[in-house]
Amino acid sequence: MDDVDAVQAQIARNMLQSGDWVTARLDGIAYLEKSPLIFWIMATSFRVFGVHDWAARLPLAFINIALCWVTARFATWAFGRRAGIYSGTILATCIGIFLFTRILIPDAALTLTIVVALWSFLRLLDPSELRRTRWFFALYISLACGLLLKGLIAVVFPIAIATIYLLITREVSLRDLAKRLRFSSGVALVVLIAAPWHILATIRNPPYFDWTMHSGPGNYHGFFWFYFLNEHLFRFLNLRYPRDYNTVPRLWFWLLHFVWLFPWSLTFIAAFRHCYRPISREGKVRLLALIWIGFVLLFFTLSTTQEYYSLPIYPALAMLLGSDLAIRERYPRAARIIMTAILGLSLCAVAFLLAYNAHTPVHGDISNALTQNPDMYTLSLGHMSDLTFRSFAYLRLPLVLAGCGLLIGIVATLRARRTAAIVAGLALMMIVFIQAARLALVVFDPYLSSKPLADALTRSEPGVLVEGDAYYAFSSVFFYTNKTALLWNGRSNNLEYGSNAPNAAQIFIDDGALKSLWLGNRRAYLLIYGTDLPHLKDLLTNQPKIVAYSGGNYLLTNQ
């Protein structure tokens, strides 16, 4: 898809082709805000399988599988085999884990490192643990990998959660704790793994140490300032520049977890009623999970919030929900009644949308039936606001499949009483429902991706490529063609800071430069939003020629 999805894949490709695995670059501009491990993993996949979109996604798929498996194993160790199966199933089939892993972002990998770190922490505290060396390496390697995936937050979360846990339980003395966790050796291992990239990135992108407490257009302070101050501290304080992101209202950030954990979130209340006293392994893990959830939610409540920022708490929630269901012969009656009502209303909504669009003609791709709300696109799920009733005419097959899934869930909650049967029914419902969502994404592809424009460009005569707007607008074109481009009025958002570096490529052009290029003798191509077409026609004296149209956007040429 366009935006961050193809950007991440293209950075990995650029690293592989350039041989520079230290500084991420896009279109010749340094991209200094993200840690590199996810790029290294994708680049390695490209080297093994070739540069394909599926090769970019393959590592994330395996990471998600590993996350569900580790969560299941953690819950099995704490609560028993049935709780482990339920916890892994809950995490694998909830709505949030599907939605927030369709995009090539490192948050699922970050979550995996946090789960491994906290489980290793408990294993090292356990006096009966026999494999201490294994868990020592698991703890500190996971912290180091987290640093290289998402920065300081990957260390702050596990350390803060573990510290609060120790302050509450007073389980061991400080001297005994140091002996069990082997702090000195552990910190040395983390530094050995994570420090080289941070040092090299600082050296290669001077100035080395700039402590400026503010920034603005045209300013450049090097890697250290942008990565540690701007991207970490100022983002937390909501003072980051450029502010190329939005934030979900705090109340919605909390309440939407009932959606992200659906259909398992209806047992939240029952799951939180258990004993949290650290007198048994079960109580210790429940207490840790509670601290885990509370700290992460509070952290982001005080900071900026995107919908997927709370992904690191999903394993903790899954373990609490799974451990609760594991001790119940019968599924909670209130949750079953509410679930049946929600699924029934959802099935009615699906039937209404199918009936409403029974005779609605379908022309072209789905973009013809969508609205555009650009103000919402800085949120992860902002494009959901583009849906209209008419757009569901393009989604008939996904709607039918979703209806079948809902029907499976209704039958399971109405006829079954035993927990195992209802869990199996709801899991099967979600497998069908997720396949419906996948098919819906296929229908949305021309709107969310510019691959058809990239294919048309590949088939065309060579020429200078210009993109209207920021790099992210048509980022999938850059991935599928592996071309660079001039950016027309696109010096904004994520590439603005790097564009001010002394060695930055001169790729940004204004109206005058575009007009000069367009009226010259060289063939030029322009990627442009359909909404920008009137301004372009006013700017240029000759009528642009349409090479391709897809998703409401155009590939134009001057010859």
Side-chain angles (χ1 to χ4, degrees), residues 69-312:
W69 180 78
V70 170
T71 300
R73 294 290 297 168
F74 193 169
T76 299
W77 175 78
F79 307 111
R81 185 171 180 270
R82 177 174 292 194
I85 293 173
Y86 286 171
S87 300
T89 300
I90 287 168
L91 187 59
T93 57
C94 67
I95 288 176
I97 204 72
F98 173 80
L99 287 177
F100 302 136
T101 55
R102 301 305 92 196
I103 308 170
L104 291 173
I105 53 177
D107 292 76
L110 167 70
T111 302
L112 177 59
T113 66
I114 291 173
V115 176
V116 173
L118 291 174
W119 188 18
S120 302
F121 164 72
L122 286 185
R123 296 293 291 254
L124 290 172
L125 288 187
D126 190 341
S128 63
E129 180 58 53
L130 300 177
R131 300 173 178 175
R132 294 191 173 279
T133 301
R134 175 185 296 183
W135 292 105
F136 164 81
F137 281 107
L139 171 60
Y140 291 105
I141 291 175
S142 64
L143 291 176
C145 289
L147 274 172
L148 291 173
L149 279 166
K150 199 73 173 179
L152 298 179
I153 199 172
V155 172
V156 169
F157 281 176
I159 291 178
I161 293 164
T163 300
I164 296 170
Y165 172 86
L166 291 170
L167 291 173
I168 292 174
T169 62
R170 298 183 180 180
E171 188 172 336
V172 293
S173 65
L174 187 60
R175 183 176 181 179
D176 194 27
L177 180 67
K179 182 180 179 181
R180 294 187 188 187
L181 299 186
R182 295 156 61 184
F183 290 129
S184 299
S185 301
V187 170
L189 181 60
V190 171
V191 170
L192 181 66
I193 295 171
W197 173 77
H198 292 85
I199 295 170
L200 285 172
T202 301
I203 293 172
R204 293 188 184 182
N205 298 277
Y208 301 142
F209 301 107
D210 191 316
W211 300 97
T212 305
M213 289 294 108
H214 62 85
S215 189
N219 293 331
Y220 182 77
H221 308 290
F223 165 80
F224 179 88
W225 178 89
F226 191 84
Y227 184 78
F228 288 103
L229 296 182
N230 199 45
E231 186 62 20
H232 285 82
L233 177 61
F234 296 162
R235 182 184 282 271
F236 177 79
L237 299 174
N238 205 14
L239 298 173
R240 180 186 183 273
Y241 182 85
R243 196 182 188 284
D244 50 10
Y245 55 90
N246 208 335
T247 186
V248 179
R250 270 45 172 192
L251 181 61
W252 282 109
F253 177 69
W254 282 68
L255 293 179
L256 280 172
H257 288 92
F258 285 96
V259 178
W260 309 146
L261 269 295
F262 189 84
W264 314 104
S265 51
L266 296 183
T267 59
F268 268 170
I269 296 176
F272 280 96
R273 287 178 176 172
H274 291 280
C275 176
Y276 292 87
R277 295 178 61 191
I279 56 176
S280 63
R281 181 180 292 177
E282 292 88 344
K284 292 176 181 179
V285 174
R286 284 197 182 97
L287 176 61
L288 183 77
L290 190 64
I291 297 168
W292 181 349
I293 295 165
F295 181 83
V296 173
L297 287 180
L298 180 62
F299 181 91
F300 286 119
T301 299
L302 299 174
S303 178
T304 56
T305 54
Q306 289 272 8
E307 301 97 316
Y308 60 86
Y309 278 10
S310 62
L311 188 60

Side-chain angles (χ1 to χ4, degrees), residues 373-516:
N373 299 285
D375 292 341
M376 297 294 293
Y377 296 164
T378 48
L379 295 173
S380 175
L381 300 177
H383 280 287
M384 297 289 287
S385 64
D386 295 343
L387 288 170
T388 63
F389 281 121
R390 180 170 167 259
S391 65
F392 286 95
Y394 293 78
L395 300 171
R396 291 189 177 107
L397 178 58
L399 282 172
V400 170
L401 193 58
C404 293
L406 293 169
L407 193 58
I408 291 171
I410 291 171
V411 171
T413 53
L414 279 178
R415 302 204 45 161
R417 295 293 183 272
R418 290 184 174 274
T419 298
I422 293 181
V423 168
L426 292 179
L428 179 60
M429 174 191 77
M430 289 306 299
I431 290 171
V432 175
F433 192 85
I434 285 171
Q435 291 305 316
R438 186 187 63 81
L439 290 175
L441 282 174
V442 173
V443 177
F444 271 95
D445 189 62
Y447 185 63
L448 298 178
S449 172
S450 300
K451 187 177 186 299
L453 301 181
D455 294 339
L457 182 61
T458 301
R459 295 190 298 266
S460 301
E461 296 291 326
V464 179
L465 179 61
V466 182
E467 188 216 68
D469 214 322
Y471 183 95
Y472 276 41
F474 295 93
S475 57
S476 62
V477 172
F478 299 109
F479 176 77
Y480 285 110
T481 64
N482 196 29
K483 293 181 180 293
T484 57
L486 299 173
L487 302 184
W488 172 40
N489 295 331
R491 193 168 190 162
S492 62
N493 297 341
N494 298 71
L495 292 190
E496 179 181 350
Y497 181 76
S499 71
N500 298 311
N503 60 346
Q506 302 303 308
I507 60 171
F508 300 98
I509 61 174
D510 57 14
D511 287 1
L514 175 65
K515 187 174 182 179
S516 176

Side-chain angles (χ1 to χ4, degrees), residues 315-391:
L317 288 168
M319 287 193 292
L320 291 180
L321 293 167
S323 65
D324 173 67
L325 293 176
I327 62 175
R328 295 178 180 274
E329 279 295 318
R330 292 181 175 271
Y331 204 82
R333 185 170 180 271
R336 189 164 50 83
I337 293 171
I338 297 172
M339 176 73 71
T340 305
I342 292 174
L343 298 181
L345 289 172
S346 300
L347 186 59
C348 290
V350 167
F352 167 77
L353 291 171
L354 287 170
Y356 181 88
N357 289 291
H359 303 291
T360 302
V362 173
H363 302 294
D365 60 56
I366 196 171
S367 64
N368 297 318
L370 297 172
T371 61
Q372 287 195 351
N373 299 285
D375 292 341
M376 297 294 293
Y377 296 164
T378 48
L379 295 173
S380 175
L381 300 177
H383 280 287
M384 297 289 287
S385 64
D386 295 343
L387 288 170
T388 63
F389 281 121
R390 180 170 167 259
S391 65

